[in-house]
């Protein structure tokens, strides 16, 4: 699969200035990094280039600054990164111009330097050719290891790939291999579990998936919209009733593509949206008019388990219910643990992604047991929607 992309296996980095685009957009509390997951993800690529004698020059954005803003500086992130990679990480207080040029000139083979937030310059997001040229002066090759920013055609995520020899870093490579296993050339049958609150944010995703997978499980608030479209009374449940026609169109498209749509057959209902609110499982023909569906019911959970058992490949994005609150986490936790067991038994390739999905798998303590868990939100969704990602396309072998 990665033969269609250039990777670090295709280049000798010794003595080269390597512009390495990484995702350092980590959560901060009181000026300190509060979750180092993303730093740990990019560490192998940084360490490999450094160990092979490359000069590592990190490019990254942080937050959404409008111009230079001290609270969006990458300096504290660089300090945290040095602890993760167990090597000094120098810092330059700009990503172009004299501070950057001087810092890069002082690098010895194996040194690591983090340049200041690329988004302090508005030209970054505009993919401005003059800005791309300024960045390109600092490096001999460009390595993109930020899949999470690959859906953006910015200077540091795409523009540099047209100016310098371009390669995928190890994190990017792992993501591309996993996604190829999920939807590119998967082992069939393929099942997708798509949940979350709104159909409106996932119309493109659903329309693409019904042409690619053998079965599509729809859960969360989205499922209520589909049930409502079919004339099921859903009480006071969250739903986008104005999208009923869209839901029916997706179901017709699925039928034409021979994709089974699996909707809840029962539901866990409560009368107010709160943790441990009194709840009861009801069949779809008996949802109380003043009740709210907050999770799938036990029969639906059994159906999801059966669908997972029938599959060789699982793609998952979005929870099946209000998983942040007990007991409405039951459907999501149960399905996650079941998929993890099948994966462990080597009967399933399981790929999951998206913020809520990652949180749910962590809550179920099974994230490490899935074949691959993507931390890239928007880019993961756009890939699943079948859209080309600029930061990936530029890495393809011509």
């Amino acid at each position: 699969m990665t033969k269609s992309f250039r990777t670090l296996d295709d280049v000798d980095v010794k003595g080269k200035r390597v512009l390495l685009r990484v995702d350092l957009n980590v959560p901060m509390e009181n000026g300190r990094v509060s979750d180092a997951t993303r730093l740990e993800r990019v560490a192998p690529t940084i360490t490999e280039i450094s160990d092979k004698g490359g000069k590592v020059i990190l490019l990254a954005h942080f937050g959404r600054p409008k111009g230079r803003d001290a609270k969006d500086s990458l300096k504290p992130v660089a300090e945290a990164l040095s602890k993760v990679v167990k090597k000094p990480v120098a810092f330059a207080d700009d990503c172009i111009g004299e501070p950057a040029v001087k810092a890069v000139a002082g690098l010895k083979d194996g040194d690591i330097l983090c340049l200041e937030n690329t988004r302090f310059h508005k030209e970054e997001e505009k993919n401005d050719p003059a800005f791309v040229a300024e960045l390109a002066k600092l490096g001999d090759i460009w390595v993109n290891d930020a899949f999470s920013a690959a859906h953006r055609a910015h200077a540091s995520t795409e523009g540099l790939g047209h100016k310098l020899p371009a390669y995928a870093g190890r994190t990017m490579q792992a993501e591309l291999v996993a996604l190829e296993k999920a939807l590119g050339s998967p082992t069939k049958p393929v099942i997708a579990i798509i949940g979350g609150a709104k159909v409106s944010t996932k119309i493109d995703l659903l329309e693409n998936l019904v042409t690619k997978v053998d079965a599509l499980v729809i859960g969360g608030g989205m499922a209520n919209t589909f049930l409502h479209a079919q004339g099921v009374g859903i009480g006071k449940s969250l739903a986008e009733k104005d999208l009923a026609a869209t839901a029916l169109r997706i179901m017709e498209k699925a039928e034409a593509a021979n994709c089974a749509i699996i909707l809840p057959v029962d539901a866990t209902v409560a009368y107010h949206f709160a943790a441990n609110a009194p709840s009861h499982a009801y069949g779809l023909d008996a949802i109380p008019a003043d009740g709210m569906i907050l999770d799938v019911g036990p029969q639906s959970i059994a159906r999801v388990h059966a669908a997972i058992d029938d599959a060789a490949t699982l793609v998952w994005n979005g929870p099946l219910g209000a998983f942040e609150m007990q007991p409405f986490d039951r459907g999501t936790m149960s399905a996650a643990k079941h998929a993890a067991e099948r994966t462990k038994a080597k009967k399933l390739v399981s790929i999951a992604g998206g913020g809520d999905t990652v949180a749910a798998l962590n809550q179920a303590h099974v994230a490490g047991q899935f074949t691959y868990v993507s931390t890239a939100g928007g880019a993961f969704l756009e890939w699943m929607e079948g859209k080309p990602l600029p930061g990936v396309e530029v890495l393809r072998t011509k």
Side-chain angles (χ1 to χ4, degrees), residues 86-144:
K86 298 182 174 59
K87 294 185 180 203
V89 176
F91 185 74
D93 68 3
D94 205 345
C95 61
I96 56 166
E98 195 187 356
V101 170
K102 260 175 111 165
V104 169
L107 291 176
K108 295 197 272 302
D109 291 0
D111 282 357
I112 304 167
L113 167 70
C114 179
L115 302 181
E116 184 57 285
N117 194 339
T118 55
R119 286 194 187 170
F120 280 178
H121 298 268
K122 62 181 187 302
E123 295 84 358
E124 155 76 347
E125 293 181 74
K126 290 179 177 164
N127 206 353
D128 180 277
F131 181 68
V132 174
E134 285 297 305
L135 290 173
K137 280 182 199 168
L138 303 170
D140 303 307
I141 66 169
W142 174 67
V143 175
N144 191 357

Side-chain angles (χ1 to χ4, degrees), residues 182-183 189-198 202 205-206 208-210 212-223 226 259-264 295-296 300-321 323 329-343 348-358 360-361 366 370 372 380-381 384:
L183 289 180
V190 187
I191 172 186
I193 296 178
I194 305 297
K198 293 183 168 179
K202 297 189 178 176
L205 172 63
L206 296 170
N208 183 46
L209 284 180
V210 296
K212 296 257 176 89
V213 304
D214 301 290
L216 175 59
V217 174
I218 298 176
M222 290 172 58
F226 279 81
C259 165
I261 294 236
I262 299 171
L263 285 166
D295 195 13
V296 290
S300 302
I301 294 172
R303 284 193 79 185
V304 173
H305 284 204
I308 292 170
D309 289 343
D310 286 343
T313 304
L314 165 68
V315 188
W316 190 338
N317 174 262
L320 298 175
F323 77 98
D329 59 345
R330 203 168 285 149
T332 306
M333 297 298 112
S334 179
K337 287 172 181 166
H338 193 71
E341 278 165 22
R342 298 283 298 170
T343 307
L348 186 71
V349 170
S350 51
I351 317 280
D356 278 352
T357 316
V358 176
L361 297 185
V366 296
F370 268 56
Y372 191 81
F380 179 77
L381 265 182
M384 284 178 67

Side-chain angles (χ1 to χ4, degrees), residues 246-270:
T246 305
L248 292 174
R249 185 184 76 228
I250 290 166
M251 293 185 81
E252 281 167 19
K253 193 170 176 180
E255 196 174 348
N258 213 10
C259 165
I261 294 236
I262 299 171
L263 285 166
V265 290
D266 60 349
T268 300
V269 175

